[in-house]
Each structure stands twice: as C-alpha cells, then as structure tokens.
C-alpha cells in the first residue's frame, strides 16, 4: 500500500505543478492531495501540523488566484468587461500554445475593455497589463507552493523509495 500511496503522491504533485500553468487543472489542490497521500504512507515523517499549515497555504493561494485577476484588473482601472475578457482570454489561450496561455489574459482584457469603451485604447492596454501581471503573480504563487509540496513529498519518500529500488534490483 505504501508504494501505491507514494506513486499517487508523486503523480498528484507533478500534475499539480502542471496545473499551476494550465488553468483548468487545480494545481495547488492536487499538490496538497499528493501531500496527503505521502502522509498516509506508514513511513511518512510529515506531521499533522505540517498538513494544517499547507492546507491554509493551499486555501490562501487558491483564493488569491481566483480573486487576483479581477482585483488587479480593477486596480489598473478596468471595468467588468475587462475582467471577463481576461478570464475568457485565459481559456482561449489554452488552445493556442503555452504562449497563448501567457498572453491570453492580456489580449482578453484589452479586447474586453475596447468592447466596453473603444475611445480609450491607452486605458485598455493598461488594464491588459494589470491582468497579465495578475496572471504572472497568481501563477508564480501557485508554482512556489506546488513545487515546495513536491519537494516535501520527494524528501519524505526518498529513503523508502531507495530501499524499495535496491530490493527489486
């Protein structure tokens, strides 16, 4: 059972890192699931307090990622149309390339603002920059949390994994 839990922990953690960049995958939440799987193994050195701390971090980062784009768009002078455009841009960018994921919020926010008010293109670009900045900050926070959780999982499973491989080979 420990091997299954360890493999699930590793899988959840790695997919969690991918999910930090791909908007439809809940990256930090999957990373936390990996941490829970690692904790469930008999050899685990992860404490309950560590799990509670990482649950709080997971909730804070997830909520920040949810509210940050709209807040930053508004902070840079954007309207509701700009915030909606940024959200649509993230999902449309998924279908183009990694560059589309990166530029999608910017293009979406600019298009949303221009649909709202065609006369102020400078404001639309400023709002697009704010949306892009929110995407970068949110993704950065998620990546930091998910990579750290992966490091905890790997550090926790390293010695048992090494022993398991040496028994097989």
């Amino acid at each position: 059972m420990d091997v299954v839990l360890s493999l699930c922990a590793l899988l959840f953690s790695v997919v969690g890192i991918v999910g930090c960049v791909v908007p439809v995958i809940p990256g930090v939440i999957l990373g936390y699931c990996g941490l829970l799987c690692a904790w469930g193994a008999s050899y685990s050195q992860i404490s309950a307090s560590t799990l509670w701390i990482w649950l709080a971090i997971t909730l804070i980062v997830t909520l920040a990622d949810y509210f940050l784009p709209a807040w930053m768009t508004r902070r840079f002078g954007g309207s509701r149309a700009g915030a909606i455009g940024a959200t649509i841009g993230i999902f449309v960018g998924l279908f183009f390339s990694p560059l589309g994921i990166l530029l999608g919020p910017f293009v979406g926010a600019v298009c949303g603002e221009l649909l709202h008010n065609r006369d102020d293109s400078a404001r639309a670009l400023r709002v697009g920059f704010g949306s892009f900045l929110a995407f970068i900050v949110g993704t950065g926070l998620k990546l930091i949390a998910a990579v750290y959780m992966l490091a905890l999982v790997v550090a926790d499973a390293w010695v048992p994994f090494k022993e398991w491989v040496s028994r097989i080979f």
Side-chain angles (χ1 to χ4, degrees):
M1 189 66 172
D2 284 345
V3 173
V4 172
L5 284 171
S6 297
L7 291 174
C8 285
L10 188 62
L11 180 68
F12 277 133
S13 297
V14 170
V15 173
I17 290 172
V18 171
C20 290
V21 180
V22 178
V24 295
I25 301 173
V28 179
I29 294 171
L30 288 176
Y32 185 74
C33 289
L35 202 57
L36 285 174
C37 288
W39 175 73
S42 64
Y43 60 80
S44 180
Q45 299 295 316
I46 298 172
S47 67
S49 61
T50 301
L51 288 177
W52 283 108
I53 290 167
W54 279 101
L55 176 62
I57 291 170
T58 299
L59 292 174
I60 290 167
V61 168
T62 302
L63 288 173
D65 186 54
Y66 182 74
F67 290 111
L68 194 63
W71 182 77
M72 290 287 279
T73 300
R74 295 284 183 144
R75 185 88 173 147
F76 277 76
S79 66
R80 180 171 160 78
I84 292 171
T87 304
I88 292 171
I90 289 171
F91 290 106
V92 171
L94 274 173
F95 298 107
F96 288 102
S97 68
L99 187 62
I101 293 172
L102 189 63
L103 294 178
F106 173 79
V107 173
V110 169
C111 290
E113 283 300 317
L114 288 175
L115 286 172
H116 180 260
N117 182 5
R118 289 183 182 261
D119 298 332
D120 198 357
S121 61
R123 178 173 166 242
L125 288 173
R126 186 175 63 246
V127 170
F129 176 74
S131 177
F132 174 74
L133 188 62
F135 178 76
I136 295 299
V137 169
T139 301
L141 288 174
K142 291 188 300 185
L143 278 172
I144 290 168
V147 167
Y148 198 92
M149 284 190 267
L150 174 64
L152 286 173
V153 166
V154 169
D156 192 50
W158 183 252
V159 173
F161 177 73
K162 194 166 67 172
E163 291 172 4
W164 179 66
V165 169
S166 66
R167 270 187 265 135
I168 290 176
F169 299 107

